[in-house]
Amino acid sequence: MKHTANLDPLDPALTLLAHLPVGVFATVCYIDAQHELTARLRALGIKPGSRVSVVRSAPLSGPLQVRSGQTDIILRRAEAAAIHVNPTF
Amino acid sequence: MSKARIALVGMPNTGKSTLFNRLSGASAQVGNWPGMTVELESARLLVGARMVELVDLPGLNNLHGFSEDERIARHFLETQAIDALIVVLNATQIERQLAFALQIKRLGLPIILVLNMADEAIRRSVIIDRDALEKALGCPVCLISAKYGHGIQGVRHALETLLHHNTTTPRTPLHQALHEDDAIEAESAALLAHAVRSPQTPAATWTDRIDNILLHPWLGIVAFFVILLGLFQIVYSVGAPLQELLGEALEAAKTQWLIPAAAHLPAPIASFLLDGLFDGVGTVATFLPIILTFYLVMSAVEDSGYMARAAFLMDALMSRMGLDGRAFVMQIMGFGCNVPAIMGTRILRNPLQRRLSMLIIPFSLCSARLQVFLFFTTAIFSPQAAPWVLLSFYVLSFLVAFASAWVWRGRVGEQEPLIMELPPYRSPTFSYLALQSLREAGQFLRGAGGFIIAGVAIIWLLTHLPWGVEPASAASWAGQLAAITTPIFAPLGIDTLLSISLMFGFVAKEIVIGALAVIYGAGPNELTGVLARSMDWRQAYSFMLFTLLYTPCLATLAAIRRESRSLRFTVASTLWSLAIAWLASFAFYQTALLF
């Protein structure tokens, strides 16, 4: 099944990956960051159109564990706040 | 025929180095790549009739990367003559990694695509049509499991065929190959749709279940300390009895064979050979079982995937000190040896954050210092107290490292983003671990062996010359030398004889115990008794505290100099640790005297 992404940046349903509740799936719409950061995220599978979820967050405002496809990555909240996503409830 | 040069490229965590070790085998000459200012592992092996030089490049996230590691790999690809590339991908993650292979393919060099961890891909229902990939890409594709050694022969065959038909293709300049990102994305997506099937939502795995405990907000921290203690328990309970056995065997060899055999030699020569070389080197050699067990256990932890979890758990704490979770992992890697940990800072992109990390790694209690502490705690403290004394040094090692980072955190400025993969847990295989730890212990011996022999020889000369004086007395050269340092070390409770061993410990901590054996004229099995009679617990603890905190060894200094490219930083970091060592020992000893 191919997931069709809503990539409209003005969609009110959009939220930030940093605010996505644990266990909820979402589609990445756009990444508001410098080229280097976008390229690194892309290499780890996070790019517009990819389906992501937050698996857990570390205590004391530590990093998030984010899952995308078969890859789990560690990401700080500050960077997760640059990733705009569209939750699929 | 000329020697062919093959480079291994791949993203981090793809098992590239495991494949490198599998291809080169235990017999291959593994050395450092000579052509560049940085160290890259390279090995020579015979493929068919052709001599091949295999170079293991650092992990690349993509060809645009900005970390030191990625810069090194890119520089190598740009400047060195290469006959072919082996591109290693994690088969499970082919969806995101295939674009990397396509990017590398744009360089125009002959490539072999190796899909590692094929067994894991099958377990995760990722199905790859190898023939379709091979046809579409026009290059050999091998499905392997480097860890279990499956499919390695296939890679060798592919390499042999490739080298046999080697036609020199014109290379595309790197900057040109980089301008095709969008086209690569499209090509990758089309290829994946054609040749790969994988589940959209991965099923819960046992990794998830383990992580529910090990990454739990507070259970995870408890588990971390339990794991750490468990590891040292293993090292201690396996290594220590072996060490004792080896010490007894060496002592027996000395009294039964060597002393009678040396009876007809002139006294100075016999003394040099027996009291100098044999006692010194022998005492250090008794620690080999502990070092070997230590490396075995460390490799197991590194291969299991737990290190990334430690980074996840500790990042919140480390970020308050200007560092991130990866710096914590390097601090633990420093438990083995500080040198690779210093080199490991190459994954950091922010040069100031890298320096801060390099400043605190020397406080990490490495295996060479562990030898000294094991020796002293066994000699001076009761068997009940010894493990706690040892534990206190690990705690102090972290505290001083963190405090140093905290003091200098303001220099870092804006921290770089922390983005790293959290790989699934993988059970290490014993055969691979044994290969790995034997190799590391071998490198340790080659690296330290020369220092140890030269060190104990010089110590013997200093303590026994001019010939005829009481060894290590005030009249000996060492005694005269120590008279100069006494005012510095006396307030720390460190006597003249011990201060001589500290001077040599500056070169390498491996020498300290050997030096003491020579200074006190004691064999591998007698030194504990001699030490116990010559100092109290305050002096012993103060000596160990100083040993923990002052410069680890010349090799670490050299690594800091090379990696920071700054003599000023190297000198500053050396002075920083010397000052802390003196102040800490002074504060401890003078306080302890009150009790």
Side-chain angles (χ1 to χ4, degrees), chain B residues 30-260:
Chain B
V30 177
N32 292 322
W33 174 253
M36 306 210 329
T37 48
V38 292
E39 291 177 7
L40 293 178
E41 290 230 303
S42 76
R44 280 178 201 185
L45 55 145
L46 208 58
V47 176
R50 193 97 184 261
M51 194 49 130
V52 166
E53 183 172 37
L54 191 68
V55 185
D56 188 15
L57 294 182
L60 278 162
N61 272 312
N62 57 51
L63 287 176
H64 305 280
F66 290 97
S67 77
E68 182 71 8
D69 254 357
E70 287 167 323
R71 208 187 54 76
I72 289 164
R74 201 165 48 216
H75 183 70
F76 185 93
L77 290 174
E78 271 174 326
T79 57
Q80 307 291 315
I82 305 164
D83 294 276
L85 292 169
I86 298 178
V87 184
V88 188
L89 303 187
N90 175 346
T92 315
Q93 302 175 341
I94 189 168
E95 281 208 332
R96 75 170 167 93
Q97 299 200 347
L98 188 63
F100 172 79
L102 293 171
Q103 205 178 29
I104 295 291
K105 193 166 171 282
R106 292 284 204 280
L107 292 173
L109 287 162
I111 67 168
I112 295 172
L113 184 62
V114 172
L115 303 175
N116 192 15
M117 308 180 200
D119 50 330
E120 203 175 287
I122 293 169
R123 271 203 307 280
R124 291 196 164 213
S125 318
V126 176
I127 297 152
I128 298 166
D129 185 343
R130 193 188 71 95
D131 296 336
L133 266 185
E134 211 161 54
K135 218 165 121 192
L137 288 168
C139 73
V141 177
C142 305
L143 284 163
I144 69 159
S145 163
K147 193 172 82 173
Y148 295 102
H150 298 159
I152 304 299
Q153 212 47 43
V155 179
R156 281 179 161 272
H157 277 308
L159 201 56
E160 201 179 331
T161 321
L162 192 81
L163 292 174
H164 191 66
H165 300 289
N166 199 0
T167 47
T168 42
T169 37
R171 278 170 74 172
T172 317
L174 193 64
H175 60 91
Q176 202 174 323
L178 287 182
H179 281 295
E180 301 179 44
D181 271 3
D182 291 339
I184 285 174
E185 286 292 331
E187 191 185 341
S188 164
L191 207 53
L192 286 169
H194 177 56
V196 176
R197 271 189 300 142
S198 65
Q200 215 198 6
T201 311
T205 55
W206 51 279
T207 288
D208 293 326
R209 287 192 279 274
I210 297 174
D211 275 342
N212 283 338
I213 297 165
L214 294 190
L215 293 183
H216 187 275
W218 58 267
L219 264 183
I221 306 284
V222 176
F224 171 78
F225 285 107
V226 170
I227 289 171
L228 210 59
L229 285 175
L231 296 181
F232 284 105
Q233 191 60 41
I234 295 172
V235 172
Y236 202 74
S237 55
V238 175
L242 287 173
Q243 178 197 18
E244 209 162 300
L245 226 60
L246 197 57
E248 281 164 20
L250 285 171
E251 199 62 50
K254 186 182 170 188
T255 44
Q256 299 236 317
W257 298 311
L258 295 176
I259 293 183

Side-chain angles (χ1 to χ4, degrees), chain B residues 513-537:
Chain B
I513 294 296
L516 287 173
V518 177
I519 290 170
Y520 287 104
N525 226 21
E526 303 159 356
L527 187 59
T528 8
V530 178
L531 284 179
R533 283 190 295 279
S534 71
M535 68 179 79
D536 66 9
W537 66 274

Side-chain angles (χ1 to χ4, degrees), chain B residues 541-560:
Chain B
Y541 199 92
S542 175
F543 176 82
M544 288 190 278
L545 199 54
F546 195 88
T547 306
L548 171 69
L549 301 175
Y550 84 120
T551 317
C553 60
L554 274 187
T556 303
L557 281 191
I560 293 176

